[in-house]
């Protein structure tokens, strides 16, 4: 039998007849006439070359071939029913979906703890996977469905749908006893002359901080060029190095003690962190639920109001 000749409705009728052991009750369940149900069973018999059901007292009974077929048909129908229902709705408490998101290493530190806490409470069986990608590959990954969402500051545009989550600016993180802070009033910004006396740690994966250092002609003051961000604050805490980083992230280190963050006269140092997605999946319920959760957790009120229809 060539499966391309198979009408899915024939399997629905077969499944109902098998469960009820009755053509008439199967027809009633499916909302069709008994002759139509009988005709469907006959068509499937001809396709499979097997009688499938035999007459029995008050109904029919399956043949051995039908017994073997029944489980596979039920499983196939259940898979289709789940897939179709997922296309229409998303039930977080029952969902076992894997979401894939783009985050930088610093973004993982900022967004993953509260996001995982919320998922544990609202969608306990959902899995989350972070897939850091080059900036020029994010839009295509979202369009292909390789990524569900991307969160971050993505300069240059990415051909994505997006909404701003929060606005931030770059500051300078130093250890709390740094000599540059000795005669500086509490909270006072760092002057350009002071910046030019500092030695810096830089992270290659964060191009905007490198751009700022280059714009200030401080390239020669870079003493450490690291591939990843997360080890840099520990190094800053034990040396006189400084690092340019998002002020909100820096404030988290200050709260833990041993660090100070100061504003400075940095070029183009304000930026927005946005949630990005593809228009192709805008109405897909699971992805829409994830986007709404991210906005609920992280979107600043003024941006939430601006994004409201």
């Amino acid at each position: 039998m060539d499966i391309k000749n198979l009408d899915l409705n024939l399997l629905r009728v077969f499944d109902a007849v098998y469960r009820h052991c009755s053509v008439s009750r199967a027809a009633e369940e499916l909302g069709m006439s008994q002759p139509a149900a009988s005709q469907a069973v006959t068509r499937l018999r001809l396709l499979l070359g097997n009688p499938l059901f035999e007459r029995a007292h008050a109904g029919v009974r399956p043949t051995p071939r039908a017994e073997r077929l029944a489980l596979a048909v039920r499983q196939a129908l259940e898979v289709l029913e789940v897939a179709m229902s997922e296309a229409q709705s998303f039930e977080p408490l029952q969902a076992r979906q894997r979401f894939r998101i783009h985050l930088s290493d610093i973004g993982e530190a900022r967004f993953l703890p509260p996001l995982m806490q919320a998922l544990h409470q609202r969608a306990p069986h959902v899995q989350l996977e972070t897939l850091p990608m080059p900036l020029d590959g994010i839009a295509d990954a979202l369009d292909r469905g390789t990524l569900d969402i991307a969160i971050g500051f993505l300069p240059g545009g990415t051909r994505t749908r997006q909404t701003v989550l929060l606005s931030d600016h770059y500051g300078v993180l130093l250890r709390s006893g740094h000599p540059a802070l000795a005669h500086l009033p509490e909270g006072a910004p760092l002057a350009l002359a002071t910046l030019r006396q500092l030695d810096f740690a830089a992270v290659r994966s964060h191009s905007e901080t490198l751009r700022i250092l280059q714009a200030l002609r401080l390239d020669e003051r870079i003493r450490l060029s690291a591939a990843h961000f997360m080890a840099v604050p520990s190094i800053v805490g034990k040396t006189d190095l400084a690092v340019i980083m998002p002020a909100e992230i820096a404030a988290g280190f200050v709260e833990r003690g041993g660090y100070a963050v100061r504003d400075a006269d940095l070029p183009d140092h304000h930026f927005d962190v946005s949630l990005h997605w593809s228009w192709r999946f805008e109405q897909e319920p699971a992805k829409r639920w994830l986007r709404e959760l991210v906005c609920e957790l992280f979107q600043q009120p003024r941006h939430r109001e601006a994004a409201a229809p």
Side-chain angles (χ1 to χ4, degrees):
M1 181 191 125
D2 192 338
I3 197 169
K4 71 181 181 181
N5 297 320
L6 181 62
D7 182 346
L8 179 61
N9 287 317
L10 302 184
L11 297 183
R12 294 179 62 244
V13 173
F14 169 84
D15 177 66
V17 172
Y18 177 84
R19 287 185 288 103
H20 292 290
C21 292
S22 168
V23 175
S24 60
R25 287 196 292 273
E28 183 178 352
E29 176 187 302
L30 297 174
M32 58 195 305
S33 67
Q34 182 171 339
S38 296
Q39 184 181 24
V41 172
T42 299
R43 287 176 59 196
L44 191 58
R45 283 171 172 164
L46 294 174
L47 283 170
L48 296 177
N50 187 275
L52 296 178
F53 298 101
E54 302 170 343
R55 292 188 181 278
H57 178 70
V60 296
R61 64 183 180 188
T63 65
R65 175 71 184 279
E67 290 281 6
R68 294 193 298 272
L69 186 63
L71 178 60
V73 169
R74 175 90 302 261
Q75 290 175 338
L77 291 174
E78 286 177 350
V79 168
L80 286 172
E81 288 167 0
V82 168
M84 295 301 292
S85 65
E86 285 181 351
Q88 301 299 324
S89 64
F90 178 73
E91 297 296 335
L93 288 175
Q94 286 75 44
R96 297 181 178 274
Q97 186 151 342
R98 179 191 294 267
F99 290 117
R100 296 176 174 86
I101 66 177
H102 164 84
L103 283 170
S104 66
D105 53 349
I106 196 171
E108 289 182 345
R110 168 64 178 86
F111 294 106
L112 283 184
L115 180 56
M116 289 305 301
Q117 181 182 21
L119 288 175
H120 176 71
Q121 295 170 347
R122 305 187 196 187
H125 306 296
V126 159
Q127 296 178 315
L128 192 66
E129 181 179 1
T130 61
L131 294 174
M133 289 191 171
L135 296 183
D136 58 3
I138 291 174
D140 287 338
L142 291 169
D143 282 342
R144 291 194 309 269
T146 307
L147 286 175
D148 296 304
I149 59 172
I151 302 175
F153 170 52
L154 308 180
T158 60
R159 311 189 327 271
T160 63
R161 295 280 176 90
Q162 56 189 278
T163 185
V164 176
L165 295 176
L166 57 93
S167 297
D168 201 358
H169 65 282
Y170 289 108
V172 181
L173 183 74
L174 313 99
R175 65 180 179 89
S176 56
H178 196 286
L181 302 175
H183 305 292
L184 196 65
E186 184 69 25
L190 297 173
L192 181 57
T194 303
L195 290 177
R196 287 176 174 159
Q197 297 174 12
L198 296 176
D199 290 327
F200 287 89
V203 182
R204 296 190 297 276
S205 60
H206 293 267
S207 60
E208 286 300 294
T209 58
L210 288 173
R211 178 193 60 77
I212 291 173
L213 289 171
Q214 291 166 357
L216 294 174
R217 298 181 180 179
L218 295 174
D219 308 54
E220 295 183 356
R221 306 296 301 187
I222 297 176
R223 299 291 176 256
L224 170 66
S225 177
H228 304 289
F229 174 81
M230 293 313 297
V232 172
S234 297
I235 297 169
V236 168
K238 296 181 181 300
T239 66
D240 284 341
L241 294 178
V243 61
I244 295 174
M245 62 181 299
E248 184 184 84
I249 304 293
F253 290 102
V254 173
E255 289 178 2
R256 300 172 200 173
Y259 295 93
V261 60
R262 295 298 173 92
D263 288 335
D265 186 15
L266 305 175
D268 300 324
H269 65 296
H270 291 275
F271 62 93
D272 292 330
V273 175
S274 297
L275 168 65
H276 301 258
W277 67 95
S278 170
W279 64 269
R280 296 184 64 240
F281 301 101
E282 190 155 47
Q283 300 305 318
E284 203 280 321
K287 291 179 172 60
R288 186 170 65 242
W289 179 87
L290 179 62
R291 294 196 305 269
E292 291 172 351
L293 177 62
V294 168
C295 288
E296 176 189 333
L297 293 174
F298 304 114
Q299 195 165 43
Q300 293 173 340
R302 63 190 178 98
H303 293 305
R304 187 175 297 126
E305 293 169 3

